């Protein structure tokens, strides 16, 4: 298969070949949470699954950013970009450390 078919499966007339039923879609954007790690191993893809500590939603790295370094598929193959850090302290959980939260929860006041 061509690289362009992997990056845009609809253009190739089908579903993405790297996904399977065990991967969950992002609760916010509905994309495969492992989409950014298409060229990586199953272990890397499993680590790509994030969840919001506040609401428990399964999210991709872009919808629950915490200064992650992710592949930049719009540039060369191994290029990286750094996502913003939207973690926040959840005092109601009894901790003073910032936790990963989704964009929806990050926008809500404490």
């Amino acid at each position: 298969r061509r690289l362009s078919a992997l990056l845009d499966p609809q253009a190739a007339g089908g579903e993405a070949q790297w996904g399977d039923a065990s991967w969950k879609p992002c609760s916010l954007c509905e994309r495969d949470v492992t989409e950014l790690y298409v060229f990586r191993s199953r272990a890397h893809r499993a680590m790509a699954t994030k969840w919001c500590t506040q609401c428990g939603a399964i999210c991709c790295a872009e919808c629950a950013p915490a200064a992650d370094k992710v592949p930049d598929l719009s540039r060369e193959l191994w290029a990286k970009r750094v996502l913003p850090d939207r973690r926040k302290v959840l005092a109601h959980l009894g901790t003073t450390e910032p936790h990963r939260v989704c964009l929806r929860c990050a926008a809500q006041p404490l």
Side-chain angles (χ1 to χ4, degrees):
R1 296 191 71 150
R2 292 186 163 181
L3 178 61
S4 60
L6 286 174
L7 296 178
D8 187 8
Q10 280 70 30
E15 291 294 316
Q17 297 299 307
W18 58 82
D20 62 31
S22 65
W23 303 114
K24 303 284 186 201
C26 175
S27 299
L28 275 71
C29 68
E30 305 275 326
R31 291 186 309 188
D32 181 354
V33 295
T34 64
E35 182 178 297
L36 292 174
Y37 297 91
V38 62
F39 300 112
R40 300 295 182 102
S41 69
R42 287 184 63 84
H44 275 98
R45 293 175 63 204
M47 289 188 310
T49 303
K50 313 294 183 206
W51 62 90
C52 175
T53 306
Q54 187 164 334
C55 69
I58 294 174
C59 299
C60 64
E62 291 185 349
C63 291
D68 301 304
K69 290 182 182 176
V70 297
D72 188 354
L73 298 179
S74 66
R75 296 183 16 211
E76 65 252 15
L77 189 57
W78 301 112
K80 300 266 188 206
R81 61 189 169 101
V82 178
L83 298 175
D85 190 354
R86 302 262 197 250
R87 295 178 292 177
K88 65 185 205 180
V89 175
L90 302 174
H92 66 279
L93 295 178
T95 181
T96 58
E97 295 179 17
H99 289 271
R100 182 183 297 268
V101 293
C102 66
L103 293 175
R104 193 176 333 149
C105 291
Q108 296 174 355
L110 290 175

